[in-house]
Amino acid sequence: MLPTDRSTCWLWGGSGGVTFTATPTYQKGGIYLRSDLAWVHATSYTPGNVFGKTGTDADQFRGVLEFGFIFGKNISLEK
């Protein structure tokens, strides 16, 4: 069940935030390696409903690393 106090639920607004994301990618042939680095800062939030173990951290850093193979005719070939 969703909370009835709209200031405590990010689905209804009442909160805000700023984010910065960088997604560098390396590709050789059909193989790629991509990272996703992001920083988020919450504003106008209710303490206890944001980041961290206690829900009181306004900032969060996130990092993801992925790799894979691209199928099809969009493979960049080295010459």
Side-chain angles (χ1 to χ4, degrees):
M1 181 162 181
L2 295 173
T4 56
D5 180 0
R6 293 180 182 219
S7 66
T8 63
C9 184
W10 287 35
L11 296 174
W12 288 300
S15 61
V18 177
T19 184
F20 175 77
T21 304
T23 310
T25 303
Y26 171 77
Q27 181 179 346
K28 184 170 185 177
I31 298 174
Y32 71 90
L33 179 67
R34 177 174 35 222
S35 64
D36 183 53
L37 307 170
W39 168 80
V40 178
H41 176 74
T43 59
S44 303
Y45 59 88
T46 302
N49 291 332
V50 282
F51 308 117
K53 291 181 181 181
T54 60
T56 57
D57 296 336
D59 296 297
Q60 182 181 57
F61 179 80
R62 180 180 72 91
V64 176
L65 185 64
E66 67 177 88
F67 66 94
F69 187 80
I70 299 172
F71 296 96
K73 297 181 179 183
N74 59 346
I75 296 173
S76 63
L77 301 174
E78 287 189 27
K79 295 182 181 178

